[in-house]
């Protein structure tokens, strides 16, 4: 019997021709000004031409102070938005669908540089040592209001430009997931403590976006189903609350990920978060997307048979932009989860994956 992967599915008002989604992936093609390089236009065109159900863009920062790395693509300035429009036009011309992922890095701003625009590293809680070794400053009411307004402005612009939807990034240690995670959120006001309070600010952002773009425009959320340390036992229940609230506030789909995806990938663990996803499935009725450790049809079918509506993948599409077509042929991804594609292999060797050939002229001297 044919796999359900190759059947259409819906996310809000958006119809996808199949149930495979290219998950947001760090692309090495961002330029210092936050615009997209021509290589990114070509890459997304290739993925769209392969027939994948939809593409979620690389995470795009919503303001200059929200940026996490020097080569990250932004959606804050008119130049950045117009460069992303070139990617969108290429995807649409190839028959694809493009969903724009919006994010604020929070305490992960400028991981590779020990500086932050404005001199403050804004985060849910103050006095914490961030990955770039700076101490964080707790966001006050004005700071929270500005970030919410930046998310709304970006979502409205994405809709006006013709993106097929937006995704609010509440995962992978960025600002909104920092609010949800008790390891990062030590606030004692209405935005910290209980699961209800920790959800408050991400919920306010989602509500404001939904009100701004209307009921019919697809709005997705990406969220961690796990957190680190002893707090994860309680978080297993918190995530069910979070997901029910995302549904109540009008999210059209949830993409389920986790805090430790890098390590699990290196260990070659399959379907990282399927058990947590099953629990979420029992708690909500909106479409679910599962990412993490998906390489072959047996894994995909197990996810779909568990009632998860869509599967998404990141690194297999780095290894093979036409990953979907290989699945159609019954071929598994050769991706080994080494994560070198997320490092500097591109600048050192001119290739994105260890499975690719090194172009003539590399490595550079």
């Amino acid at each position: 019997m044919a796999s359900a992967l190759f059947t259409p599915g819906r996310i809000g008002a958006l119809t996808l021709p199949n149930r495979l989604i290219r998950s947001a992936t760090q692309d090495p093609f961002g330029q210092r000004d936050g615009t997209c390089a021509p290589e990114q236009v070509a890459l997304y065109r290739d993925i769209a031409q392969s027939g994948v159900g939809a593409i979620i863009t690389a995470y795009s920062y919503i303001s200059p102070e929200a940026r996490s790395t020097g080569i990250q693509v932004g959606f804050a300035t008119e130049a950045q938005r117009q460069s992303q429009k070139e990617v969108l036009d290429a995807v649409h011309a190839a028959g694809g669908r493009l969903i724009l992922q919006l994010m604020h890095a929070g305490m992960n701003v400028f991981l590779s540089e020990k500086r932050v625009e404005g001199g403050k590293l804004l985060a849910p809680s103050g006095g914490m040592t961030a990955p770039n070794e700076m101490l964080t400053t707790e966001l006050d009411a004005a700071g929270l209001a500005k970030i919410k307004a930046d998310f709304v402005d970006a979502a409205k612009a994405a809709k006006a430009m013709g993106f097929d939807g937006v995704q609010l990034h509440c995962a992978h240690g960025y600002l909104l997931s920092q609010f949800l995670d008790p390891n990062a959120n030590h606030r004692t006001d209405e935005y910290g403590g209980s699961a209800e309070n920790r959800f408050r600010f991400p919920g306010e952002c989602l509500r404001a976006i939904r009100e701004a773009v209307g009921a019919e425009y697809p709005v997705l959320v990406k969220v961690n189903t796990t957190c680190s340390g002893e707090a994860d036992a309680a978080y297993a229940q918190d995530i069910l609350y979070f997901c029910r609230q995302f549904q109540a506030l009008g999210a059209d789909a949830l993409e389920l990920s986790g805090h430790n995806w890098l390590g699990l990938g290196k260990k070659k663990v399959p379907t990282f978060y399927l058990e947590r996803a099953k629990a979420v499935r029992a708690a909500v009725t909106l479409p679910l997307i599962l990412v993490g450790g998906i390489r072959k049809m047996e894994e995909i079918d197990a996810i779909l048979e568990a009632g998860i509506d869509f599967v998404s993948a990141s690194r297999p599409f780095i290894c093979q932009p036409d990953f979907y077509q290989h699945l159609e042929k019954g071929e598994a991804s050769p991706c080994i989860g080494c994560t070198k594609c997320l490092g500097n292999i591109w600048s050192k060797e001119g290739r994105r994956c260890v499975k690719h050939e090194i172009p003539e002229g590399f490595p550079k001297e």
Side-chain angles (χ1 to χ4, degrees), residues 185-196:
N185 185 345
H186 300 160
R187 297 175 76 108
T188 57
D189 63 2
E190 68 270 29
Y191 292 103
S194 66
E196 179 182 3

Side-chain angles (χ1 to χ4, degrees), residues 108 168-184 198 221-228 232 235-243 246 254-262 273 276-277 280 289-291:
N108 285 320
L168 190 62
H169 200 348
C170 298
H172 297 174
Y174 296 115
L175 180 69
L176 297 184
S177 70
Q178 292 163 22
F179 271 92
L180 298 176
D181 188 341
N183 294 298
R198 300 198 318 273
V221 173
K222 185 170 188 174
V223 64
N224 282 349
T225 58
T226 62
C227 74
S228 63
D232 187 54
Y235 191 89
Q237 294 303 311
D238 292 345
I239 185 60
L240 304 183
Y241 171 80
F242 297 153
C243 290
F246 283 132
L254 300 176
E255 185 178 18
L256 305 177
S257 186
H259 79 286
N260 54 346
W261 58 275
L262 264 175
Y273 309 112
R276 289 282 169 97
V280 173
I289 308 162
L290 184 60
V291 68

